[in-house]
Amino acid sequence: MNQTQFSRVRLGLSVVALAALTACVNLAPQHERPALPVAEQLGAAGAQDLTLPAWRDFYADARLQSLVDIALRNNRDLRVALRSVDQAAALARVSDANRWPTVAAGFTSSRVPNAKDDTITANYQAGLQVTAYELDLWGKLRNQSDAAQARYLASEDGARAAQLSLIAGVASAHYALQVDDALLDYARKTLASREDSHRLTRLRFDQGAASSLELQGALSALEAARAAVAQAQRQRSQDENALVLLLGQPLPQELPAGSPLASQALAPLAAGLKSSVLLDRPDVRQAEAQLVAAEANVGAARAAFFPSITLSTNIGSASSELSGLFKNTAWSFASQALMPIFDAGRNSANLKATQAAREIAVAQYEKAIQQAFREVADALSARGTLTEQLRAQEAQAAAEAERLRLVELRFANGASSSLELLDAQRASFAAQQAALQVRLAALQSGVQLYKTLGGGAAAELRAQR
């Protein structure tokens, strides 16, 4: 090995050795997950861990599954969230690249006239250059990279939270549309029945067998039924528009047949849960990732108080003639160390700001857990009470329907008045409407419970990207 080759090898080894010294100190606080600021148990006694089914297993209805697939492909809010993940991943790579030297190939030339004569001095250089590479002795660049990586992970969890909200939104809209169809169908049947009642009452009035009071009561019930039909049509149209917005496209004409509303059921979930299951919720994971990023920023701010050392080097060839450019080896090595002495309190203020941001992140993480605890507790409570309410409401609706049938028979035989019939019609219609609304609330409470527990398939989120 000649002297030139030895110099090149020694320079390369020096750069590698200096790079190995980087990030030998980490001034960031050690991350420790804050204690759960909630009770240890959710729901009934007998707390247990929970493994949630994938959303396809939880929502067994084929029509709903097709709607969710469409929404996952086309919903614009989810698309923005996924692109935000891509952006955060790219920025994390940029931040990580700052920890390593940037090697560039360069060529420079200069021609300078001599002051003593008319000759011109030419200089040509070509080679590899490393410019202003900072040694990360205090972990500043490493912590900046860690913060960017944590923000990327937070964006992933944010996208997963958006996915779960979208799935829950489509399921809720689907069930609402089914209830709208049932309400509209029942309103139309009620309208037809009241048109018949009004016609019979009109005939009886014309024959002097019914009073004006009975006729006006029948007319009032008829117009109320027409208003109910119009309201049901409007509600269905609005709920369909909401579903279309979630899908990101018009509602397809060809969809699998859905299960009847009365047979709609969701996969069962445990009643008693450990609060630690909340740690897997994407919004809680997102809050923790943001806390990790805030802690890394504290480390980077602390490193600003210590000297920064930058290196610049190049190795290549130089010549005064372009034809002889690659005959002579040339290299240079320069270093610079800067120690902050006076910065008008900039570094101190920046450190205080990052420390305050860390405390904010801790509070936000704890609040996310408390919010999650409340949402799950509310959903568990609603599930238990709505089941009993639905049973009672459907029993009442059945009883009112039977009462209406009996009153209609009595009215046809002249044993009941039209006022008694109107009362039975109103009561039966109201009971049926209430039963359908409670069934919708029961289904949507199951949707909400699954969402608040963090249910879903993270693997599908990556597939969409």
Side-chain angles (χ1 to χ4, degrees):
M1 180 182 295
N2 56 35
Q3 185 66 27
T4 300
Q5 292 174 327
F6 179 76
S7 298
R8 293 177 180 177
V9 171
R10 183 175 63 182
L11 179 61
L13 291 176
S14 298
V15 172
V16 172
L18 289 171
L21 291 175
T22 62
C24 58
V25 176
N26 189 355
L27 301 176
Q30 182 68 30
H31 175 66
E32 294 182 2
R33 178 179 288 171
L36 291 176
V38 293
E40 295 182 358
Q41 180 176 325
L42 280 157
Q48 55 187 296
D49 292 322
L50 178 67
T51 300
L52 291 172
W55 69 265
R56 290 184 184 276
D57 297 325
F58 186 73
Y59 301 113
D61 183 81
R63 186 181 183 89
L64 175 55
Q65 290 177 354
S66 297
L67 292 173
V68 171
D69 284 333
I70 294 172
L72 291 177
R73 291 194 302 268
N74 298 312
N75 182 265
R76 300 310 191 268
D77 289 334
L78 182 59
R79 191 174 295 178
V80 169
L82 293 174
R83 297 292 81 80
S84 296
V85 174
D86 294 338
Q87 181 186 41
L91 292 175
R93 289 193 293 271
V94 170
S95 185
D96 187 64
N98 293 333
R99 300 174 58 189
W100 308 100
T102 298
V103 181
F107 172 80
T108 60
S109 64
S110 63
R111 295 172 60 85
V112 180
N114 293 321
K116 296 181 179 180
D117 51 38
D118 293 335
T119 61
I120 295 178
T121 301
N123 183 45
Y124 303 93
Q125 294 184 356
L128 301 178
Q129 300 177 354
V130 175
T131 304
Y133 168 56
E134 182 176 356
L135 295 181
D136 195 21
L137 299 178
W138 320 112
K140 181 180 73 173
L141 298 180
R142 173 185 172 184
N143 281 312
Q144 289 175 343
S145 176
D146 289 346
Q149 179 68 18
R151 288 191 291 270
Y152 158 64
L153 295 177
S155 69
E156 268 205 332
D157 288 317
R160 184 161 176 255
Q163 181 200 45
L164 295 182
S165 295
L166 176 61
I167 294 173
V170 172
S172 294
H174 168 69
Y175 294 136
L177 204 56
Q178 280 194 307
V179 170
D180 290 339
D181 287 335
L183 284 170
L184 181 57
D185 181 65
Y186 190 72
R188 285 170 174 166
K189 290 179 180 178
T190 300
L191 176 59
S193 175
R194 292 187 181 179
E195 285 175 340
D196 291 339
S197 297
H198 178 261
R199 184 172 60 255
L200 290 175
T201 305
R202 167 65 68 178
L203 289 174
R204 293 180 63 194
F205 176 78
D206 291 342
Q207 296 172 1
S211 66
S212 177
L213 177 62
E214 291 175 317
L215 178 61
Q216 292 304 315
L219 179 60
S220 173
L222 174 61
E223 296 303 330
R226 286 173 176 164
V229 170
Q231 180 182 2
Q233 290 174 329
R234 181 177 67 254
Q235 186 63 51
R236 190 196 182 284
S237 177
Q238 291 174 346
D239 285 342
E240 183 176 338
N241 292 338
L243 180 58
V244 167
L245 178 61
L246 291 173
L247 296 183
Q249 68 170 55
L251 198 63
Q253 295 295 326
E254 297 182 359
L255 283 171
S259 302
L261 181 61
S263 63
Q264 287 283 5
L266 302 175
L269 298 174
L273 304 171
K274 295 180 180 178
S275 296
S276 56
V277 301
L278 301 176
L279 298 177
D280 288 331
R281 274 183 41 143
D283 57 336
V284 174
R285 291 168 58 90
Q286 182 182 23
E288 184 174 9
Q290 290 168 343
L291 172 58
V292 172
E295 291 170 342
N297 287 334
V298 172
R302 287 174 176 170
F305 289 87
F306 294 88
S308 62
I309 300 175
T310 57
L311 305 177
S312 298
T313 183
N314 65 73
I315 182 170
S317 60
S319 174
S320 59
E321 299 290 339
L322 189 60
S323 58
L325 177 60
F326 296 102
K327 295 180 179 179
N328 302 316
T329 300
W331 62 273
S332 66
F333 180 85
S335 62
Q336 182 183 52
L338 293 176
M339 175 70 180
I341 297 177
F342 176 76
D343 62 358
R346 181 183 296 106
N347 286 340
S348 296
N350 188 52
L351 177 59
K352 289 180 180 179
T354 56
Q355 289 173 334
R358 178 182 179 273
E359 295 303 317
I360 292 172
V362 170
Q364 290 174 334
Y365 173 75
E366 293 175 340
K367 181 181 178 181
I369 292 179
Q370 291 174 339
Q371 181 67 26
F373 185 91
R374 179 193 171 181
E375 289 176 355
V376 175
D378 287 348
L380 287 171
S381 175
R383 182 178 65 168
T385 56
L386 282 170
T387 300
E388 175 59 24
Q389 184 181 355
L390 178 60
R391 185 206 62 77
Q393 197 69 58
E394 289 184 336
Q396 181 188 6
E400 290 293 348
E402 179 62 16
R403 182 167 80 95
L404 175 59
R405 186 185 69 84
L406 295 175
V407 170
E408 285 175 339
L409 288 176
R410 288 170 55 85
F411 179 76
N413 295 317
S416 293
S417 67
S418 59
L419 294 179
E420 186 178 0
L421 176 61
L422 290 175
D423 179 68
Q425 288 176 337
R426 291 192 185 100
S428 180
F429 184 57
Q432 289 289 350
Q433 283 184 314
L436 287 171
Q437 293 294 347
V438 174
R439 178 171 289 278
L440 174 60
L443 287 169
Q444 291 183 337
S445 73
V447 172
Q448 184 67 13
L449 177 59
Y450 183 66
K451 173 192 171 185
T452 57
L453 288 173
E460 294 192 14
L461 177 65
R462 295 185 176 88
Q464 293 167 48
R465 294 171 55 200

